[in-house]
Amino acid sequence: MVTLVTRLCRVPGTAAGPLRLLRAGSARPAAALAVPPHGAPGPPLGLGWEAGSGRRPLSFSAAGLVSSAPGPLQPYLRLMRLDKPIGTWLLYLPCTWSIGLAAEPGCFPDWYMLSLFGTGAVLMRGAGCTINDMWDRDYDKKVLRTANRPIAVGDISTFQSFVFLGGQLSLALCVLLCLNYYSIALGAASLSLVITYPLMKRITYWPQLVLGLTFNWGALLGWSAIKGSCDWSVCLPLYFSGVMWTLIYDTIYAHQDKKDDMVIGVKSTALRFNENTKQWLSGFSVAMLVGLSVAGINCDQTFLYYTAVATISAHLAHQIYTLDIHKPEDCWKKFTSNRTVGLLLFIGIVTGNLRKRKNPKEINAINPDI
């Protein structure tokens, strides 16, 4: 399961605009001290000191936990984006769909595989963000929302980031080696996408498509990890749906940065679609729902699965209808709401599978008297 998120790793909530950010006499960018605009996400609980107490307040938010870590460790945790787990969720959820669909009729998905893929998602999302920041360190310095990334600001050197990347990839390889040979080969096959995605925004207005191809590899890998190989009649429609889903949420995400992107020469579907974004997103949504329906039909899913698909269609319709592509804070809100989309589908897959009748041959094998 070698997948990557890179554009999902930007800091939410600040206004766009090309900037020269270093303050006079300071090695820190002004972005690190900026106050978010009205309506943008503020600093998470646990990031500041309690007034007059001399200690940090206890916080169980991801950002609060990272800020409570030892000082030398914090830049590496921020480089992995552990303080912003939405990217890990969006990487992990297609894996859960595939694992859930591959479960035996009437059974829950394999909890060990769900845990293993969850670990892999954390590691590979961190590795992807590290690769992205290494490629984009010069761009990041010119954009307010990314100027306080650890590499851009100088908290982590290029050499240190290489070493850290090697450690993450080594641990991710250990996770991959826990799978069958087919899945190991399948996971390794995505390496070219993993490495080249960060370069796509320099040469094409469709980097979100490449991200989707990379980011949803788990939709193939989860099934093969359970079954030993892919059933393409199920896996391909599921993978296609995941790619369409990524085009939806990452186009919304890209609208946060379009002003900066135009100035520094970065391309995206947000710039390609511009004022026609909602029409494109609607088309991607229809394609996603068709793919999910085909995948469900080909693995004999029950009505609870299709109920979840219908709920997702309503969620996407509301998301697109109410989207304001000119407000970065609204784009961030809509982007993060896609975790709900992924969870709804996973719940529909699990409950739908539990409604299936167990295979009679399996029942007879357990109780030959039947």
Side-chain angles (χ1 to χ4, degrees), residues 289 292-293 296-297 301-316 340-341 343-353 355:
L289 296 169
L292 292 177
S293 298
I297 291 170
Q301 269 291 347
T302 59
F303 76 94
L304 290 174
Y305 171 84
Y306 298 105
T307 301
V309 172
T311 305
I312 288 169
S313 69
H315 188 289
L316 291 174
T340 302
V341 172
L343 288 172
L344 283 171
L345 182 57
F346 177 62
I347 292 170
I349 290 170
V350 173
T351 56
N353 197 63
R355 290 282 300 178

mmCIF file of all heavy atoms in Angstrom, residues 289 292-293 296-297 301-316 340-341 343-353 355:
data_model
loop_
_atom_site.group_PDB
_atom_site.id
_atom_site.type_symbol
_atom_site.label_atom_id
_atom_site.label_comp_id
_atom_site.label_asym_id
_atom_site.label_seq_id
_atom_site.Cartn_x
_atom_site.Cartn_y
_atom_site.Cartn_z
ATOM 1 N N LEU A 289 -20.613 7.861 -8.137
ATOM 2 C CA LEU A 289 -21.763 7.086 -7.689
ATOM 3 C C LEU A 289 -22.040 5.903 -8.613
ATOM 4 O O LEU A 289 -22.418 4.810 -8.151
ATOM 5 C CB LEU A 289 -22.992 7.990 -7.596
ATOM 6 C CG LEU A 289 -22.890 9.117 -6.551
ATOM 7 C CD1 LEU A 289 -24.040 10.105 -6.717
ATOM 8 C CD2 LEU A 289 -22.872 8.550 -5.137
ATOM 9 N N LEU A 292 -19.453 3.235 -7.721
ATOM 10 C CA LEU A 292 -19.799 2.553 -6.469
ATOM 11 C C LEU A 292 -20.947 1.579 -6.671
ATOM 12 O O LEU A 292 -20.965 0.485 -6.083
ATOM 13 C CB LEU A 292 -20.166 3.583 -5.397
ATOM 14 C CG LEU A 292 -19.038 4.474 -4.883
ATOM 15 C CD1 LEU A 292 -19.577 5.497 -3.889
ATOM 16 C CD2 LEU A 292 -17.932 3.636 -4.239
ATOM 17 N N SER A 293 -21.905 1.947 -7.494
ATOM 18 C CA SER A 293 -23.036 1.049 -7.758
ATOM 19 C C SER A 293 -22.586 -0.200 -8.501
ATOM 20 O O SER A 293 -23.002 -1.319 -8.175
ATOM 21 C CB SER A 293 -24.106 1.793 -8.573
ATOM 22 O OG SER A 293 -24.605 2.902 -7.853
ATOM 23 N N GLY A 296 -20.771 -2.449 -6.113
ATOM 24 C CA GLY A 296 -21.714 -3.119 -5.225
ATOM 25 C C GLY A 296 -22.448 -4.255 -5.906
ATOM 26 O O GLY A 296 -22.630 -5.343 -5.332
ATOM 27 N N ILE A 297 -22.868 -4.033 -7.161
ATOM 28 C CA ILE A 297 -23.564 -5.082 -7.908
ATOM 29 C C ILE A 297 -22.653 -6.284 -8.122
ATOM 30 O O ILE A 297 -23.067 -7.444 -7.960
ATOM 31 C CB ILE A 297 -24.059 -4.525 -9.262
ATOM 32 C CG1 ILE A 297 -25.184 -3.512 -9.024
ATOM 33 C CG2 ILE A 297 -24.524 -5.647 -10.174
ATOM 34 C CD1 ILE A 297 -25.571 -2.725 -10.260
ATOM 35 N N GLN A 301 -23.723 -6.775 -3.089
ATOM 36 C CA GLN A 301 -24.034 -6.005 -1.892
ATOM 37 C C GLN A 301 -25.543 -5.906 -1.683
ATOM 38 O O GLN A 301 -26.337 -6.083 -2.624
ATOM 39 C CB GLN A 301 -23.417 -4.611 -1.971
ATOM 40 C CG GLN A 301 -22.032 -4.515 -1.376
ATOM 41 C CD GLN A 301 -22.035 -4.669 0.149
ATOM 42 O OE1 GLN A 301 -23.072 -4.621 0.796
ATOM 43 N NE2 GLN A 301 -20.850 -4.870 0.709
ATOM 44 N N THR A 302 -25.934 -5.605 -0.451
ATOM 45 C CA THR A 302 -27.343 -5.550 -0.066
ATOM 46 C C THR A 302 -27.832 -4.103 0.011
ATOM 47 O O THR A 302 -27.082 -3.160 -0.226
ATOM 48 C CB THR A 302 -27.547 -6.241 1.286
ATOM 49 O OG1 THR A 302 -26.730 -5.595 2.268
ATOM 50 C CG2 THR A 302 -27.143 -7.713 1.199
ATOM 51 N N PHE A 303 -29.123 -3.941 0.351
ATOM 52 C CA PHE A 303 -29.755 -2.625 0.272
ATOM 53 C C PHE A 303 -29.106 -1.609 1.204
ATOM 54 O O PHE A 303 -29.145 -0.399 0.940
ATOM 55 C CB PHE A 303 -31.256 -2.745 0.564
ATOM 56 C CG PHE A 303 -31.592 -2.930 2.016
ATOM 57 C CD1 PHE A 303 -31.904 -1.842 2.820
ATOM 58 C CD2 PHE A 303 -31.587 -4.202 2.596
ATOM 59 C CE1 PHE A 303 -32.229 -2.007 4.162
ATOM 60 C CE2 PHE A 303 -31.897 -4.380 3.924
ATOM 61 C CZ PHE A 303 -32.218 -3.284 4.716
ATOM 62 N N LEU A 304 -28.504 -2.047 2.307
ATOM 63 C CA LEU A 304 -27.872 -1.103 3.224
ATOM 64 C C LEU A 304 -26.682 -0.404 2.564
ATOM 65 O O LEU A 304 -26.425 0.774 2.829
ATOM 66 C CB LEU A 304 -27.425 -1.825 4.498
ATOM 67 C CG LEU A 304 -28.552 -2.302 5.415
ATOM 68 C CD1 LEU A 304 -27.989 -3.124 6.577
ATOM 69 C CD2 LEU A 304 -29.336 -1.116 5.952
ATOM 70 N N TYR A 305 -25.985 -1.114 1.718
ATOM 71 C CA TYR A 305 -24.891 -0.504 0.968
ATOM 72 C C TYR A 305 -25.425 0.592 0.056
ATOM 73 O O TYR A 305 -24.877 1.710 0.007
ATOM 74 C CB TYR A 305 -24.176 -1.580 0.152
ATOM 75 C CG TYR A 305 -23.157 -1.046 -0.826
ATOM 76 C CD1 TYR A 305 -21.857 -0.750 -0.429
ATOM 77 C CD2 TYR A 305 -23.491 -0.839 -2.173
ATOM 78 C CE1 TYR A 305 -20.914 -0.268 -1.335
ATOM 79 C CE2 TYR A 305 -22.563 -0.359 -3.085
ATOM 80 C CZ TYR A 305 -21.276 -0.080 -2.659
ATOM 81 O OH TYR A 305 -20.354 0.407 -3.561
ATOM 82 N N TYR A 306 -26.500 0.310 -0.666
ATOM 83 C CA TYR A 306 -27.043 1.300 -1.598
ATOM 84 C C TYR A 306 -27.693 2.462 -0.857
ATOM 85 O O TYR A 306 -27.737 3.584 -1.385
ATOM 86 C CB TYR A 306 -28.023 0.619 -2.547
ATOM 87 C CG TYR A 306 -27.350 -0.437 -3.385
ATOM 88 C CD1 TYR A 306 -27.532 -1.788 -3.116
ATOM 89 C CD2 TYR A 306 -26.488 -0.080 -4.423
ATOM 90 C CE1 TYR A 306 -26.887 -2.765 -3.866
ATOM 91 C CE2 TYR A 306 -25.841 -1.048 -5.181
ATOM 92 C CZ TYR A 306 -26.043 -2.383 -4.886
ATOM 93 O OH TYR A 306 -25.380 -3.339 -5.627
ATOM 94 N N THR A 307 -28.170 2.209 0.358
ATOM 95 C CA THR A 307 -28.655 3.307 1.196
ATOM 96 C C THR A 307 -27.515 4.267 1.523
ATOM 97 O O THR A 307 -27.685 5.497 1.492
ATOM 98 C CB THR A 307 -29.272 2.762 2.496
ATOM 99 O OG1 THR A 307 -30.360 1.888 2.180
ATOM 100 C CG2 THR A 307 -29.781 3.898 3.376
ATOM 101 N N ALA A 308 -26.354 3.708 1.828
ATOM 102 C CA ALA A 308 -25.185 4.542 2.101
ATOM 103 C C ALA A 308 -24.770 5.328 0.856
ATOM 104 O O ALA A 308 -24.426 6.508 0.942
ATOM 105 C CB ALA A 308 -24.021 3.675 2.595
ATOM 106 N N VAL A 309 -24.815 4.686 -0.312
ATOM 107 C CA VAL A 309 -24.471 5.371 -1.559
ATOM 108 C C VAL A 309 -25.450 6.524 -1.810
ATOM 109 O O VAL A 309 -25.040 7.624 -2.229
ATOM 110 C CB VAL A 309 -24.462 4.382 -2.736
ATOM 111 C CG1 VAL A 309 -24.300 5.120 -4.070
ATOM 112 C CG2 VAL A 309 -23.342 3.360 -2.567
ATOM 113 N N ALA A 310 -26.736 6.304 -1.554
ATOM 114 C CA ALA A 310 -27.723 7.374 -1.718
ATOM 115 C C ALA A 310 -27.457 8.520 -0.746
ATOM 116 O O ALA A 310 -27.590 9.701 -1.106
ATOM 117 C CB ALA A 310 -29.131 6.816 -1.507
ATOM 118 N N THR A 311 -27.081 8.193 0.480
ATOM 119 C CA THR A 311 -26.752 9.230 1.468
ATOM 120 C C THR A 311 -25.538 10.029 1.020
ATOM 121 O O THR A 311 -25.490 11.261 1.169
ATOM 122 C CB THR A 311 -26.482 8.592 2.837
ATOM 123 O OG1 THR A 311 -27.610 7.792 3.225
ATOM 124 C CG2 THR A 311 -26.240 9.660 3.895
ATOM 125 N N ILE A 312 -24.563 9.338 0.462
ATOM 126 C CA ILE A 312 -23.368 10.016 -0.052
ATOM 127 C C ILE A 312 -23.738 10.967 -1.191
ATOM 128 O O ILE A 312 -23.206 12.080 -1.278
ATOM 129 C CB ILE A 312 -22.330 8.978 -0.521
ATOM 130 C CG1 ILE A 312 -21.716 8.282 0.691
ATOM 131 C CG2 ILE A 312 -21.241 9.620 -1.377
ATOM 132 C CD1 ILE A 312 -20.890 7.066 0.346
ATOM 133 N N SER A 313 -24.650 10.549 -2.040
ATOM 134 C CA SER A 313 -25.060 11.416 -3.147
ATOM 135 C C SER A 313 -25.683 12.706 -2.614
ATOM 136 O O SER A 313 -25.420 13.793 -3.148
ATOM 137 C CB SER A 313 -26.038 10.687 -4.069
ATOM 138 O OG SER A 313 -27.285 10.467 -3.435
ATOM 139 N N ALA A 314 -26.480 12.590 -1.550
ATOM 140 C CA ALA A 314 -27.080 13.783 -0.948
ATOM 141 C C ALA A 314 -26.004 14.665 -0.313
ATOM 142 O O ALA A 314 -26.052 15.900 -0.422
ATOM 143 C CB ALA A 314 -28.120 13.372 0.095
ATOM 144 N N HIS A 315 -25.049 14.044 0.343
ATOM 145 C CA HIS A 315 -23.950 14.792 0.966
ATOM 146 C C HIS A 315 -23.159 15.562 -0.093
ATOM 147 O O HIS A 315 -22.849 16.753 0.080
ATOM 148 C CB HIS A 315 -23.034 13.831 1.720
ATOM 149 C CG HIS A 315 -21.984 14.501 2.548
ATOM 150 N ND1 HIS A 315 -20.898 15.152 1.992
ATOM 151 C CD2 HIS A 315 -21.840 14.616 3.893
ATOM 152 C CE1 HIS A 315 -20.134 15.646 2.953
ATOM 153 N NE2 HIS A 315 -20.687 15.336 4.109
ATOM 154 N N LEU A 316 -22.810 14.896 -1.188
ATOM 155 C CA LEU A 316 -22.044 15.551 -2.246
ATOM 156 C C LEU A 316 -22.840 16.673 -2.894
ATOM 157 O O LEU A 316 -22.286 17.741 -3.207
ATOM 158 C CB LEU A 316 -21.629 14.526 -3.302
ATOM 159 C CG LEU A 316 -20.584 13.492 -2.873
ATOM 160 C CD1 LEU A 316 -20.389 12.449 -3.975
ATOM 161 C CD2 LEU A 316 -19.250 14.157 -2.537
ATOM 162 N N THR A 340 -16.396 12.420 6.211
ATOM 163 C CA THR A 340 -17.731 11.870 6.448
ATOM 164 C C THR A 340 -18.191 11.024 5.267
ATOM 165 O O THR A 340 -18.796 9.959 5.447
ATOM 166 C CB THR A 340 -18.727 13.016 6.695
ATOM 167 O OG1 THR A 340 -18.294 13.793 7.815
ATOM 168 C CG2 THR A 340 -20.122 12.476 6.975
ATOM 169 N N VAL A 341 -17.900 11.463 4.044
ATOM 170 C CA VAL A 341 -18.257 10.683 2.852
ATOM 171 C C VAL A 341 -17.616 9.306 2.913
ATOM 172 O O VAL A 341 -18.267 8.276 2.715
ATOM 173 C CB VAL A 341 -17.810 11.425 1.574
ATOM 174 C CG1 VAL A 341 -18.000 10.534 0.348
ATOM 175 C CG2 VAL A 341 -18.593 12.720 1.406
ATOM 176 N N LEU A 343 -16.401 7.668 5.520
ATOM 177 C CA LEU A 343 -16.899 6.867 6.639
ATOM 178 C C LEU A 343 -18.297 6.331 6.356
ATOM 179 O O LEU A 343 -18.625 5.197 6.726
ATOM 180 C CB LEU A 343 -16.900 7.704 7.924
ATOM 181 C CG LEU A 343 -15.520 8.009 8.513
ATOM 182 C CD1 LEU A 343 -15.640 9.008 9.665
ATOM 183 C CD2 LEU A 343 -14.835 6.732 9.000
ATOM 184 N N LEU A 344 -19.143 7.143 5.718
ATOM 185 C CA LEU A 344 -20.485 6.672 5.361
ATOM 186 C C LEU A 344 -20.409 5.451 4.449
ATOM 187 O O LEU A 344 -21.155 4.478 4.636
ATOM 188 C CB LEU A 344 -21.264 7.794 4.661
ATOM 189 C CG LEU A 344 -21.842 8.897 5.537
ATOM 190 C CD1 LEU A 344 -22.393 10.027 4.679
ATOM 191 C CD2 LEU A 344 -22.943 8.351 6.452
ATOM 192 N N LEU A 345 -19.504 5.493 3.486
ATOM 193 C CA LEU A 345 -19.382 4.355 2.584
ATOM 194 C C LEU A 345 -18.865 3.125 3.323
ATOM 195 O O LEU A 345 -19.370 2.009 3.101
ATOM 196 C CB LEU A 345 -18.449 4.703 1.424
ATOM 197 C CG LEU A 345 -18.280 3.605 0.366
ATOM 198 C CD1 LEU A 345 -19.628 3.188 -0.219
ATOM 199 C CD2 LEU A 345 -17.340 4.057 -0.742
ATOM 200 N N PHE A 346 -17.895 3.310 4.196
ATOM 201 C CA PHE A 346 -17.375 2.166 4.948
ATOM 202 C C PHE A 346 -18.460 1.547 5.814
ATOM 203 O O PHE A 346 -18.605 0.313 5.863
ATOM 204 C CB PHE A 346 -16.200 2.614 5.816
ATOM 205 C CG PHE A 346 -15.636 1.515 6.675
ATOM 206 C CD1 PHE A 346 -15.071 0.379 6.105
ATOM 207 C CD2 PHE A 346 -15.673 1.599 8.068
ATOM 208 C CE1 PHE A 346 -14.551 -0.635 6.892
ATOM 209 C CE2 PHE A 346 -15.160 0.585 8.855
ATOM 210 C CZ PHE A 346 -14.607 -0.533 8.267
ATOM 211 N N ILE A 347 -19.253 2.370 6.483
ATOM 212 C CA ILE A 347 -20.356 1.858 7.304
ATOM 213 C C ILE A 347 -21.360 1.112 6.432
ATOM 214 O O ILE A 347 -21.857 0.033 6.792
ATOM 215 C CB ILE A 347 -21.035 3.004 8.066
ATOM 216 C CG1 ILE A 347 -20.082 3.575 9.125
ATOM 217 C CG2 ILE A 347 -22.331 2.529 8.720
ATOM 218 C CD1 ILE A 347 -20.568 4.856 9.759
ATOM 219 N N GLY A 348 -21.663 1.669 5.250
ATOM 220 C CA GLY A 348 -22.582 0.994 4.340
ATOM 221 C C GLY A 348 -22.050 -0.342 3.864
ATOM 222 O O GLY A 348 -22.798 -1.321 3.737
ATOM 223 N N ILE A 349 -20.748 -0.412 3.600
ATOM 224 C CA ILE A 349 -20.140 -1.674 3.177
ATOM 225 C C ILE A 349 -20.224 -2.715 4.278
ATOM 226 O O ILE A 349 -20.608 -3.874 4.042
ATOM 227 C CB ILE A 349 -18.669 -1.436 2.760
ATOM 228 C CG1 ILE A 349 -18.608 -0.656 1.453
ATOM 229 C CG2 ILE A 349 -17.922 -2.760 2.624
ATOM 230 C CD1 ILE A 349 -17.218 -0.171 1.082
ATOM 231 N N VAL A 350 -19.885 -2.328 5.504
ATOM 232 C CA VAL A 350 -19.878 -3.277 6.623
ATOM 233 C C VAL A 350 -21.282 -3.765 6.932
ATOM 234 O O VAL A 350 -21.531 -4.982 7.038
ATOM 235 C CB VAL A 350 -19.242 -2.635 7.871
ATOM 236 C CG1 VAL A 350 -19.389 -3.555 9.083
ATOM 237 C CG2 VAL A 350 -17.771 -2.328 7.629
ATOM 238 N N THR A 351 -22.234 -2.843 7.069
ATOM 239 C CA THR A 351 -23.606 -3.253 7.399
ATOM 240 C C THR A 351 -24.240 -4.028 6.255
ATOM 241 O O THR A 351 -24.981 -4.988 6.477
ATOM 242 C CB THR A 351 -24.458 -2.028 7.753
ATOM 243 O OG1 THR A 351 -24.426 -1.079 6.668
ATOM 244 C CG2 THR A 351 -23.947 -1.358 9.018
ATOM 245 N N GLY A 352 -23.932 -3.606 5.019
ATOM 246 C CA GLY A 352 -24.457 -4.348 3.874
ATOM 247 C C GLY A 352 -23.916 -5.762 3.821
ATOM 248 O O GLY A 352 -24.638 -6.710 3.498
ATOM 249 N N ASN A 353 -22.653 -5.909 4.148
ATOM 250 C CA ASN A 353 -22.043 -7.237 4.131
ATOM 251 C C ASN A 353 -22.609 -8.122 5.239
ATOM 252 O O ASN A 353 -22.772 -9.343 5.061
ATOM 253 C CB ASN A 353 -20.529 -7.119 4.281
ATOM 254 C CG ASN A 353 -19.813 -8.377 3.858
ATOM 255 O OD1 ASN A 353 -19.881 -8.778 2.705
ATOM 256 N ND2 ASN A 353 -19.131 -9.033 4.798
ATOM 257 N N ARG A 355 -25.555 -8.167 6.210
ATOM 258 C CA ARG A 355 -26.879 -8.624 5.794
ATOM 259 C C ARG A 355 -26.813 -9.780 4.801
ATOM 260 O O ARG A 355 -27.826 -10.427 4.530
ATOM 261 C CB ARG A 355 -27.642 -7.460 5.139
ATOM 262 C CG ARG A 355 -28.055 -6.367 6.104
ATOM 263 C CD ARG A 355 -29.267 -6.757 6.907
ATOM 264 N NE ARG A 355 -30.434 -7.029 6.073
ATOM 265 C CZ ARG A 355 -31.604 -7.431 6.534
ATOM 266 N NH1 ARG A 355 -31.772 -7.633 7.834
ATOM 267 N NH2 ARG A 355 -32.624 -7.658 5.710
#
